[in-house]
Amino acid sequence: MTAQPEQLAAALSLSRRGGKFSPEPVEVPAEFSDDALALRFTAEHGNDLRYTSAWGRWNRWDGHRWTEDDTLRVYDLARGTCRDSAGECNKKNVAQR
């Protein structure tokens, strides 16, 4: 699934406002920047993953409750997001922009 600019803007809007949606316009970062990758990851997996800094761990929603991600699945998902973006970036029409 590829996150669209509208989804990235919505994720950015939510993250900057403590999870509360606001219709205010927000800046969308450059298409393949670190910020854009983080927002894309959030748009793709934000409903099922949470990082709790106080605990220093990732948690995933199993459909009933939040459980600790002790399999490092989140790193595989992040790697997949980066690889998908790299593949898009290397397409001829994108590389010429």
Side-chain angles (χ1 to χ4, degrees):
M1 175 178 131
T2 301
Q4 299 301 312
E6 300 82 25
Q7 292 172 306
L8 296 176
L12 181 61
S13 176
L14 288 173
S15 68
R16 287 188 176 166
R17 290 170 183 81
K20 296 178 182 170
F21 179 75
S22 172
E24 295 176 31
V26 295
E27 287 185 34
V28 176
E31 190 172 4
F32 297 107
S33 67
D34 289 347
D35 282 348
L37 289 173
L39 291 171
R40 180 177 179 164
F41 179 83
T42 300
E44 293 174 353
H45 305 291
N47 291 331
D48 300 320
L49 296 171
R50 295 287 186 274
Y51 182 76
T52 307
S53 60
W55 300 337
R57 69 178 189 209
W58 284 93
N59 296 285
R60 64 178 178 79
W61 182 249
D62 69 4
H64 301 287
R65 65 185 186 283
W66 290 99
T67 60
E68 183 177 357
D69 176 32
D70 54 2
T71 65
L72 300 179
R73 172 97 173 111
V74 69
Y75 293 101
D76 290 334
L77 294 172
R79 191 176 305 119
T81 297
C82 291
R83 288 180 178 161
D84 290 346
S85 293
E88 291 172 20
C89 184
N90 288 329
K91 289 181 181 174
K92 186 176 182 177
N93 62 343
V94 174
Q96 291 177 351
R97 286 192 220 167

